[in-house]
Amino acid sequence: RHTLLGRAAREGVKGMGLTLFGPDEDLNSAVTAAYVPEGIDGKQFVKMLFREHGIQVAGGQGQVEGRIFRIGHCGYFDAYDIIATIAAAELALESLDFSLELGRGVGAAQQVFSKSGVAA
């Protein structure tokens, strides 16, 4: 289950046009990390996701503080948590003037679930 959630999160992140922080492989089944787009304050982005959408993600630490965000998917998470997180991230990025096609990340994540037989 965690492997599938990780695959969907990674595909959703890439569908938004973002770059993964770390390899795109199933060993990353606990968390998906991605770079925040250039010119966007990663701390503001993380706060906005929670404040405006009720979605909790983690920011970066140390040298990547303010430069990455992390989506957790190990534990009590399901397909709809990943879909909601990607949807909120798309909306937040758009409001921060990042150019993206709304729904592309969500659709990419949904494809992972659909191909696996999980209805999401």
Side-chain angles (χ1 to χ4, degrees), residues 6-7 9-11 13-14 19-35 73:
R7 285 179 193 159
R10 290 190 306 277
E11 289 304 313
V13 164
K14 292 186 300 183
T19 303
L20 293 170
F21 178 79
D24 185 0
E25 57 189 35
D26 285 342
L27 291 174
N28 294 329
S29 62
V31 65
T32 293
Y35 286 99
H73 36 74

Side-chain angles (χ1 to χ4, degrees), residues 9-10 12-14 16-23 32-43 45-46 58-61 63-71 89 93 98:
R10 290 190 306 277
V13 164
K14 292 186 300 183
M16 288 187 284
L18 304 182
T19 303
L20 293 170
F21 178 79
T32 293
Y35 286 99
V36 177
E38 192 70 36
I40 292 182
D41 180 339
K43 291 180 184 180
F45 174 67
V46 168
Q61 299 173 322
Q63 293 179 328
V64 291
E65 184 176 9
R67 296 181 49 220
I68 69 167
F69 68 100
R70 297 174 287 155
I71 302 169
L93 288 169
F98 178 69

Side-chain angles (χ1 to χ4, degrees), residues 1-3 5-6 28-32 71-77 82:
R1 181 172 60 88
H2 298 134
T3 299
L5 295 174
N28 294 329
S29 62
V31 65
T32 293
I71 302 169
H73 36 74
C74 185
Y76 192 71
F77 293 99
I82 300 302

Side-chain angles (χ1 to χ4, degrees), residues 85-110:
T85 299
I86 299 299
E90 287 181 336
L91 291 169
L93 288 169
E94 182 190 50
S95 73
L96 293 169
D97 296 324
F98 178 69
S99 179
L100 78 159
E101 181 183 333
L102 289 177
R104 195 158 172 228
V106 169
Q110 286 177 312

